[in-house]
Amino acid sequence: MYKLFVRPFLFLFSPEKAHHVTFAALQLFCKIPFAKNILRATYQINHPKLRQELFGLIFSNPVGLAAGLDKNGVVIDEMSSLGFGFIEIGTVTPLPQDGNPTPRLFRLPKDKALINRMGFNNDGMKAIAARIKKRNSRILLGGNIGKNKNTANENAADDYIKCFNELYDEVDYFVVNVSSPNTPGLRDLQEKKPLTAILNLLQIENNSKRKRKPILLKIAPDLTNEQLDDIAEIVIETKLDGLIVSNTTIDRSNLSYTEAQLQTIGAGGLSGKPVFEKSNEVLKYISSKVNVPIIASGGIMTAEDALLKLSLGASLVQLYTGFVYEGPKLVTQINKKLIANL
C-alpha cells in the first residue's frame, strides 16, 4: 500500500514538504480512536528472539529509527506504533537554529538515495526536552547531540555538555554527532585529540550523575583505516558504550546521475542504497577492532540488508532513507526475517 499509493503521492511534493506532510498526516491519523492500535497490530512484532539487552537497556527488537527524521521529537508516540524497537531524535543543539538555506534535501530515486545538507535545523535543546518530556510512549529514546554552527570547534565540548545535561532526564542514551558533513568544520572534531577531549569531558559529566547514561559515537563512512584505528583507541580510552556506523557520505561515485545533475544539487551527505557497501566496509573493519555494541545505519533497504549488517558485527540497525523509500513495512519485514533466522 505504501509503495503503491502513499509514496507516489508524497513524491509529488518536494522532499522537505513531503516530510512535513507525512508528519501532519501521521499525527492526524493517530488522533482517530484506536488508530494507534491498528498501526501496532499491523507493524509491531513481539517475540522473545528479538529482545536483547545492550549497555544496560532492554531493546524489544533491534530495528530503530535513525536520527534526522524526527529531529525535534515531534512524532515519537506516533512512530512508536510502527514497530520500531527504539527511536533516535536530533541532532539537537543548545540553541535553536534554522539550518542551511532551502532547498537542502534532494531525492535520487534511480539510486534509492537522498542528499541532504540540512545543517542541524532544530528547535534547540530546551524546547525539545520540554516536548519529549510529555510523550506517552515508553519506547527507548536516543538523543543525538551536536554543536551550534556558530560555536567554534575549540568550544564544541561546551555545547555537547549543555545538550547532555538538558536531555539527561528525558532520553535513554546519547549519541555524539561529529560526523555530519553539513556543519562547517564539524568533521574536524573526529580527529583524535579534539574528539578524545570532548568524550572525556562528557564522561566526567556522565559519571557525576546519579546514574550513567550510555554514550555512543556516530562516525562517518569516509574515514580511513588509520582514522578508524584512532577511533578504536578512543573507544577504549574514553570508555565509550558503543558506536553508530555510519553517517552519510560525501562520496558521489557510482551514482546513476550525471556530474552536471549532481553539481546542480550541490553539497550534502548522501544516504540510502549507494552508501550500503561503503558503510559495510567501515562496519566490518571497526567491529574487528572494538568490543562495544555497534548500531549499523546506512543503506538498509531490505531485510537481507539488515541481516548482513548484523552478520558484520552490528547488534542493532537503524533506518532512515530505507524507511522513506520502503515505508514502515520494512521494519516488520526485518523483524520477521530475524525471527526466522535466529
Side-chain angles (χ1 to χ4, degrees):
M1 181 176 173
Y2 175 84
K3 292 168 75 172
L4 282 175
F5 302 107
V6 179
R7 188 177 75 184
F9 171 72
L10 291 174
F11 277 29
L12 294 173
F13 300 93
S14 70
E16 197 162 353
K17 178 67 173 177
H19 177 90
H20 295 306
V21 169
T22 301
F23 276 24
L26 186 59
Q27 288 174 311
L28 185 62
F29 177 76
C30 287
K31 288 180 180 177
I32 300 171
F34 307 111
K36 288 182 183 178
N37 292 338
I38 294 170
L39 291 178
R40 293 189 192 103
T42 304
Y43 298 114
Q44 276 190 354
I45 297 178
N46 296 310
H47 196 286
K49 284 187 176 181
L50 299 174
R51 184 182 171 94
Q52 60 180 309
E53 181 175 349
L54 296 166
F55 33 81
L57 301 175
I58 303 294
F59 292 81
S60 60
N61 75 66
V63 186
L65 181 68
L69 198 68
D70 189 8
K71 291 175 179 290
N72 293 308
V74 174
V75 288
I76 296 170
D77 290 336
E78 292 81 359
M79 284 290 182
S80 70
S81 301
L82 298 181
F84 290 107
F86 62 107
I87 290 173
E88 195 172 305
I89 61 163
T91 296
V92 180
T93 58
L95 299 175
Q97 56 183 34
D98 294 331
N100 292 320
T102 58
R104 55 195 179 181
L105 182 61
F106 308 87
R107 299 187 192 99
L108 282 67
K110 287 187 286 187
D111 291 318
K112 289 191 173 180
L114 299 171
I115 290 177
N116 92 82
R117 53 172 177 272
M118 303 301 288
F120 286 177
N121 56 306
N122 74 104
D123 294 339
M125 62 184 189
K126 290 189 179 298
I128 294 171
R131 182 178 299 122
I132 62 179
K133 187 182 184 68
K134 298 175 183 177
R135 68 189 177 104
N136 295 314
S137 167
R138 291 298 95 198
I139 191 169
L140 287 178
L141 188 65
N144 188 298
I145 57 177
K147 79 173 189 73
N148 280 113
K149 179 179 179 180
N150 294 331
T151 300
N153 276 6
E154 55 265 32
N155 299 321
D158 294 339
D159 277 14
Y160 287 96
I161 290 171
K162 287 175 185 175
C163 289
F164 177 84
N165 284 323
E166 190 68 37
L167 297 177
Y168 172 83
D169 288 327
E170 312 307 334
V171 302
D172 298 293
Y173 70 89
F174 285 91
V175 179
V176 176
N177 188 353
V178 291
S179 53
S180 169
N182 301 318
T183 296
L186 184 74
R187 283 192 168 189
D188 294 341
L189 296 176
Q190 290 184 119
E191 296 300 322
K192 190 173 185 180
K193 185 176 180 181
L195 184 54
T196 301
I198 290 170
L199 294 174
N200 276 331
L201 287 170
L202 272 173
Q203 291 289 36
I204 290 171
E205 195 71 18
N206 199 11
N207 292 330
S208 72
K209 301 293 186 183
R210 63 183 183 277
K211 180 184 177 182
R212 287 189 75 259
K213 293 287 175 80
I215 295 179
L216 288 73
L217 173 68
K218 188 167 188 174
I219 63 175
D222 305 307
L223 298 176
T224 65
N225 285 351
E226 290 75 17
Q227 289 173 311
L228 292 172
D229 289 338
D230 285 343
I231 294 293
E233 291 179 11
I234 290 169
V235 167
I236 296 169
E237 182 177 339
T238 63
K239 296 181 174 60
L240 271 183
D241 296 276
L243 293 171
I244 297 184
V245 183
S246 64
N247 213 319
T248 57
T249 180
I250 57 174
D251 188 8
R252 296 291 188 269
S253 59
N254 302 316
L255 294 175
S256 303
Y257 294 81
T258 66
E259 186 63 32
Q261 288 172 316
L262 294 173
Q263 286 181 356
T264 299
I265 291 173
L270 174 72
S271 62
K273 192 173 181 179
V275 80
F276 184 67
E277 295 297 335
K278 194 178 186 73
S279 65
N280 285 354
E281 291 172 9
V282 173
L283 172 60
K284 184 176 180 181
Y285 187 87
I286 196 67
S287 65
S288 71
K289 301 286 183 177
V290 299
N291 190 29
V292 294
I294 296 174
I295 302 176
S297 180
I300 299 172
M301 314 301 289
T302 67
E304 289 74 19
D305 291 342
L307 260 65
L308 180 56
K309 295 277 190 188
L310 296 172
S311 73
L312 292 175
S315 299
L316 306 168
V317 296
Q318 286 180 326
L319 307 178
Y320 182 108
T321 307
F323 185 71
V324 172
Y325 278 93
E326 302 299 321
K329 197 69 178 175
L330 180 57
V331 182
T332 309
Q333 290 168 348
I334 294 171
N335 281 323
K336 284 183 176 179
K337 193 79 172 182
L338 282 171
I339 293 169
N341 285 270
L342 289 174

